[in-house]
């Protein structure tokens, strides 16, 4: 590093003396000197040469004295480390200079050995400050990059800790949310490009904000589909509870979004949500050139299957027993939801118990208890299950899940085991 030093003094012989005393350092490229004769000229020099690293200034000068210059320098955004030099080595000037932010203080006649030592010390300080600013800039840049994927809290932790913290590929317990929009392909084919761009950008932006509010990680966005992780990369003991709360919030936001665009004449489909928990292979799969923090494995595939199951069930959110049990364990209270059945999903040899999570107020309604009673009969293959679901549908015609079970029973189904057409 070559340090650029601005010497401010009205003595006519000082410039030649400084250049003579520091000729070796100048020749070696360690320092470069600039000169000004008063504070006004010094400020103009700094404006023309903002790369000045430090200022060595006399106090007693015409137009603007050194203490006034020092105050101006400290008021600037890019504060310059300043050494004050004066023949008036009294305590009052020393205190004023230090109170105004001087880095050090020397007296005249100048001891050039002392000046050289003080300059070296100041240069080391400047280098340390420059390195600190560089690190801060790198951290802010890393934070800005990570904030595209993670909640602000997680992004801050990762930016501070570095790439090695939780980014390597490893097996990890996670909760996964998969979302997709019904009829999106048809919308793409029929909507004008400018409308589609605005629509999708607003949708993804809003959904991402909801995820970040719950401290989730957006692992992947493919068109209208969003993959979300909890308990990755950071530890979240209540990750199942967070995932269910986030699913409810996503559903609420997506329904409001759909209504707003319906009012504008755009038929935007229902957002379907699947949630599952288990082990997944998580980490940065982008290689050396790209950053692709995501997850793979059966847990991820199952969440996607549960999302697709909503299409047949008539629900908007479908969660696995692993998530429901995890939420109950971490929250210490009963899971608010009703059983869907034992789903036979593509790619799985064993049926998976699934639930429809409900808002607490809905969970406490009599209709939920009536549904659970009818489902209990279905589980035991009780013939009374059909009239029980028929009675429920008669009272609540818009209950799509109850209607789904009634149709199954009318078509000859006898149990809670459900083969979906996936």
């Amino acid at each position: 590093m070559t340090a650029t030093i601005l010497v401010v003094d009205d003595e006519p012989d000082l410039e030649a003396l400084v250049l003579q005393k520091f000729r070796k350092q100048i020749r070696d490229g360690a320092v470069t000197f600039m000169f000004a004769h008063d504070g006004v000229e010094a400020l103009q020099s700094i404006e023309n040469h903002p790369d000045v690293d430090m200022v060595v200034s006399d106090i007693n000068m015409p137009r603007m004295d050194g203490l006034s210059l020092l105050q101006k320098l400290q008021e600037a955004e890019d504060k310059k480390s300043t050494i004050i030099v004066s023949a008036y080595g009294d305590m009052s000037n020393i205190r004023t200079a230090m109170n105004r932010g001087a880095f050090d203080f020397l007296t005249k006649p100048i001891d050039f050995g002392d000046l050289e030592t003080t300059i070296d010390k100041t240069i080391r300080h400047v280098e340390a400050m420059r390195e600190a600013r560089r690190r801060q800039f790198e951290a802010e840049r890393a934070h800005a990059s990570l904030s595209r994927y993670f909640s602000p809290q997680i992004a801050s932790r990762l930016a501070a800790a570095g790439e090695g913290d939780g980014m390597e590929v490893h097996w990890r317990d996670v909760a996964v949310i998969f979302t997709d929009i019904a009829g999106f392909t048809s919308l793409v084919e029929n909507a004008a490009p400018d409308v589609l761009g605005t629509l999708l950008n607003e949708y993804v932006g809003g959904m991402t904000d909801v995820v970040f509010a719950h401290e989730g990680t957006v692992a992947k966005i493919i068109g209208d589909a969003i993959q979300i992780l909890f308990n990755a990369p950071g530890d979240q003991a209540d990750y199942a509870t967070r995932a269910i709360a986030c699913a409810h919030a996503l559903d609420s936001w997506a329904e409001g979004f759909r209504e707003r665009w319906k009012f504008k004449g755009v038929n935007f489909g229902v957002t379907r949500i699947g949630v599952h928990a288990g082990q997944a292979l998580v980490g940065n799969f982008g290689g050396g050139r790209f950053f692709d923090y995501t997850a793979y494995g059966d847990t991820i595939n199952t969440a996607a299957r549960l999302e697709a199951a909503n299409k047949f069930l008539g629900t908007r959110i479908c969660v696995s027993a692993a998530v429901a049990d995890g939420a109950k364990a971490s929250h210490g209270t009963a899971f608010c939801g009703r059983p869907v059945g034992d789903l036979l999903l593509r790619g799985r040899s064993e049926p998976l118990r699934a639930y429809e999570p409900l808002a607490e107020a809905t969970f406490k309604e009599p209709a939920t208890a009536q549904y659970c009673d009818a489902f209990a009969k279905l589980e035991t293959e009780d013939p009374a299950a059909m009239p029980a679901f028929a009675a429920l549908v008669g009272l609540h015609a818009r209950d799509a899940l109850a209607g789904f079970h009634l149709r199954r029973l009318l078509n000859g189904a006898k149990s809670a085991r459900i083969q979906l057409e996936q």
Side-chain angles (χ1 to χ4, degrees):
M1 167 189 169
T2 299
T4 301
I5 303 170
L6 174 62
V7 178
V8 189
D9 198 303
D10 61 340
E11 283 193 24
D13 299 331
L14 184 64
E15 179 174 341
L17 192 58
V18 167
L19 293 176
Q20 171 64 24
K21 293 291 185 181
F22 286 90
R23 62 187 182 279
K24 183 179 183 302
Q25 293 92 326
I26 295 171
R27 185 173 63 249
D28 292 343
V31 294
T32 297
F33 283 96
M34 297 171 52
F35 297 90
H37 299 97
D38 57 46
V40 174
E41 188 179 335
L43 292 176
Q44 186 62 54
S45 294
I46 291 173
E47 184 177 345
N48 295 335
H49 303 278
D51 58 338
V52 168
D53 294 303
M54 59 182 291
V55 176
V56 179
S57 177
D58 188 21
I59 288 182
N60 189 24
M61 297 181 295
R63 295 204 295 176
M64 181 185 292
D65 62 60
L67 294 177
S68 298
L69 171 62
L70 177 61
Q71 185 168 343
K72 292 285 187 182
L73 293 176
Q74 294 306 303
E75 290 171 355
E77 183 176 349
D78 182 15
K79 297 177 176 59
K80 305 296 182 183
S81 296
T82 305
I83 299 170
I84 291 295
V85 183
S86 175
Y88 308 103
D90 58 278
M91 184 58 67
S92 175
N93 279 336
I94 292 174
R95 287 181 60 83
T96 300
M98 292 306 178
N99 287 337
R100 292 187 183 181
F103 182 75
D104 211 334
F105 191 98
L106 296 174
T107 58
K108 287 186 176 181
I110 295 176
D111 181 331
F112 280 91
D114 190 15
L115 176 60
E116 182 177 358
T117 300
T118 304
I119 286 176
D120 287 343
K121 180 177 69 174
T122 308
I123 289 173
R124 289 195 298 273
H125 170 73
V126 170
E127 288 175 340
M129 293 298 293
R130 185 173 291 168
E131 176 63 15
R133 285 195 294 269
R134 186 192 68 78
R135 289 179 179 273
Q136 181 180 0
F137 172 76
E138 291 294 332
E140 289 173 352
R141 186 171 65 177
H143 181 271
S145 177
L146 291 166
S147 292
R148 293 180 298 161
Y149 303 95
F150 308 122
S151 68
Q153 296 89 336
I154 295 176
S156 296
R157 184 177 68 81
L158 292 174
E163 283 191 15
D165 187 13
M167 294 302 186
E168 68 283 354
V169 176
H170 62 292
W171 286 101
R172 187 176 183 87
D173 289 323
V174 295
V176 185
I177 297 178
F178 233 96
T179 77
D180 203 7
I181 303 168
F184 185 73
T185 301
S186 176
L187 180 64
V188 170
E189 292 172 351
N190 295 299
D194 58 333
V195 173
L196 182 64
T198 301
L199 184 77
L200 192 56
N201 284 330
E202 183 184 338
Y203 175 81
V204 171
M207 294 284 277
T208 300
D209 287 343
V210 172
V211 173
F212 286 175
H214 289 79
E215 299 186 351
T217 297
V218 176
K220 195 169 290 183
I221 298 174
I222 305 174
D224 62 312
I226 305 174
Q227 177 187 318
I228 301 150
L229 300 176
F230 285 90
N231 203 42
D235 294 331
Q236 295 169 315
D238 59 344
Y239 62 89
T241 301
R242 286 177 183 268
I244 291 175
C246 184
H248 277 305
L250 289 169
D251 176 65
S252 178
W253 189 90
E255 282 296 287
F257 175 85
R258 191 162 70 94
E259 287 300 315
R260 290 195 301 276
W261 278 89
K262 184 178 180 181
F263 183 76
K264 298 177 184 179
V266 176
N267 187 21
F268 192 82
V270 167
T271 294
R272 298 188 295 248
I273 301 170
V275 190
H276 185 45
Q279 282 224 321
L281 202 56
V282 183
N284 178 17
F285 290 87
R289 292 183 177 272
F290 301 98
F291 183 80
D292 183 20
Y293 187 87
T294 189
Y296 293 100
D298 180 67
T299 298
I300 311 303
N301 297 335
T302 299
R305 302 277 187 263
L306 288 169
E307 175 274 310
N310 288 290
K311 176 181 178 180
F312 304 97
L313 301 170
T315 52
R316 294 198 302 267
I317 309 175
C318 189
V319 310
S320 68
V323 174
D325 293 344
K328 183 167 59 177
S330 66
H331 203 253
T333 57
F335 164 71
C336 292
R338 57 183 185 172
V340 168
D342 299 320
L343 305 184
L344 295 168
L345 300 174
R346 181 162 55 89
R348 292 183 65 93
S349 58
E350 296 295 325
L352 180 76
R353 173 52 63 99
Y355 294 86
E356 180 188 25
L358 301 172
E360 187 174 355
T362 304
F363 180 70
K364 292 179 178 179
E365 290 178 357
T368 302
Q370 188 177 356
Y371 172 93
C372 290
D373 180 65
F375 187 85
K377 291 179 171 61
L378 179 64
E379 282 189 295
T380 59
E381 300 187 17
D382 186 339
M386 185 184 295
F389 276 111
L392 182 61
V393 172
L395 291 172
H396 305 280
R398 298 179 65 182
D399 188 335
L401 185 56
F404 169 78
H405 282 302
L406 180 58
R407 288 192 301 274
R408 289 182 62 245
L409 290 165
L410 290 171
N411 288 326
K414 297 184 181 299
S415 73
R417 181 169 291 200
I418 304 168
Q419 179 71 60
L420 294 177
E421 302 171 14
Q422 293 191 59

